[in-house]
């Protein structure tokens, strides 16, 4: 069977609610930040389904022994927020995967060429090949930043099939690039918008997510 990019838009009412709050131009920065955090929490919850490694064991309940399933602590897990806007999703994601290591990756987009450049890279030289990696980036627009992040991760030994991308809004240009390069990848998004304008912003999108998260 030919692999293909999988994009999930969970039909969860809380995801829809917080997306609506985040989209609203009248939402103040403090509430926008809360909305992005909540979206990070619920989208990571959905992404963790059939992804987190588990192990079978047994525990003693107050009445008897019984079988149990636990998250396997031996399998490494990492979250890579794409700075700076990815930090907004990180706060919520950490409530779901609190034991994951955090590796920051700072990418800035040239406003004329729309090409990304890296200003901070805290990734290790090599990842364990079994590492589960969650990337947080609110907007997948032109695809430049997420493709740069994927390149940095895969060249350090991360299996694309073990990566989950959590975003708030995805657009066709980014999804098409990811599909062509990483057909086994999985993306979780609150919604998919159909248009990216000449300035590289998704329409209707969220506006500049980083500016709105940090109020700058």
């Amino acid at each position: 069977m030919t692999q293909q990019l999988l994009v999930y838009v969970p039909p969860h009412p809380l995801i829809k609610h917080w997306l609506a709050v985040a989209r609203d131009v009248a939402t103040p920065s403090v509430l926008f930040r809360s909305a992005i955090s909540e979206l990070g929490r619920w989208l990571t919850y959905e992404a963790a389904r059939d992804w987190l490694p588990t192990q079978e064991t047994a525990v003693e309940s107050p009445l008897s022994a019984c079988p149990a399933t636990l998250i396997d602590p031996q399998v490494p897990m990492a979250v890579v927020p794409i700075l700076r806007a990815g930090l907004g999703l990180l706060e919520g994601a950490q409530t779901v995967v609190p034991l994951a290591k955090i590796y920051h990756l700072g990418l800035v987009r040239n406003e004329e060429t729309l090409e990304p450049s890296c200003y901070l890279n805290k990734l290790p030289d090599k990842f364990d090949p079994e590492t589960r990696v969650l990337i947080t980036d609110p907007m997948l627009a032109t695809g430049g930043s997420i493709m740069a992040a994927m390149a940095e991760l895969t060249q350090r030994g991360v299996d694309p099939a073990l990566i989950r991308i959590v975003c708030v809004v995805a657009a066709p240009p980014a999804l098409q690039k990811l599909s062509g390069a990483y057909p086994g990848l999985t993306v979780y998004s609150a919604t998919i918008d159909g248009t990216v304008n000449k300035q590289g912003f998704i329409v209707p999108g969220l506006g500049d997510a980083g500016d709105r998260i940090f109020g700058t």
Side-chain angles (χ1 to χ4, degrees):
M1 180 181 294
T2 303
Q3 285 187 316
Q4 60 182 359
L5 177 74
L6 296 177
V7 184
Y8 290 100
V9 180
H12 198 295
L14 286 171
I15 292 175
K16 293 179 180 180
H17 171 84
W18 289 113
L19 173 63
V21 173
R23 284 214 198 258
D24 192 340
V25 69
T27 297
S29 179
V30 64
L31 182 54
F32 182 85
R33 187 161 56 247
S34 294
I36 297 299
S37 177
E38 288 297 324
L39 287 165
R41 181 199 316 275
W42 296 110
L43 287 166
T44 301
Y45 170 84
E46 294 289 346
R49 231 183 268 271
D50 302 320
W51 180 64
L52 291 179
T54 60
Q55 59 182 9
E56 300 305 315
T57 185
V59 297
E60 289 283 342
S61 85
L63 299 179
S64 70
C66 60
T69 302
L70 296 173
I71 302 300
D72 189 344
Q74 301 303 313
V75 178
M77 192 175 306
V79 181
V80 179
I82 307 302
L83 305 187
R84 64 180 171 155
L87 292 172
L89 290 167
L90 172 64
E91 182 179 352
Q94 281 186 291
T95 65
V96 180
V97 286
L99 298 182
K101 293 183 177 180
I102 312 300
Y103 298 100
H104 297 90
L105 185 62
L107 299 170
V108 62
R109 186 172 67 177
N110 184 300
E111 297 304 325
E112 293 182 0
T113 66
L114 304 182
E115 292 299 317
S117 59
C118 182
Y119 64 87
L120 179 70
N121 188 335
K122 304 299 285 186
L123 300 177
D125 292 334
K126 202 72 176 175
F127 282 91
D128 183 299
E130 295 301 313
T131 304
R132 270 66 171 172
V133 177
L134 182 78
I135 303 173
T136 62
D137 190 2
M139 313 292 285
L140 302 187
T142 63
S145 294
I146 195 63
M147 289 294 288
M150 286 296 301
E152 293 289 346
L153 288 166
T154 53
Q155 71 184 15
R156 287 169 168 77
V158 179
D159 182 353
L162 298 180
I163 294 175
R164 296 290 184 270
I165 297 173
V166 163
C167 65
V168 178
V169 184
L175 296 178
Q176 289 164 4
K177 289 178 182 178
L178 289 170
S179 181
Y182 306 103
L185 192 61
T186 307
V187 176
Y188 286 79
S189 182
T191 192
I192 299 173
D193 287 347
T195 304
V196 175
N197 66 20
K198 292 181 179 179
Q199 289 73 43
F201 284 96
I202 301 174
V203 180
L206 304 174
D208 190 312
D211 285 357
R212 296 186 69 193
I213 289 168
F214 298 105
T216 57

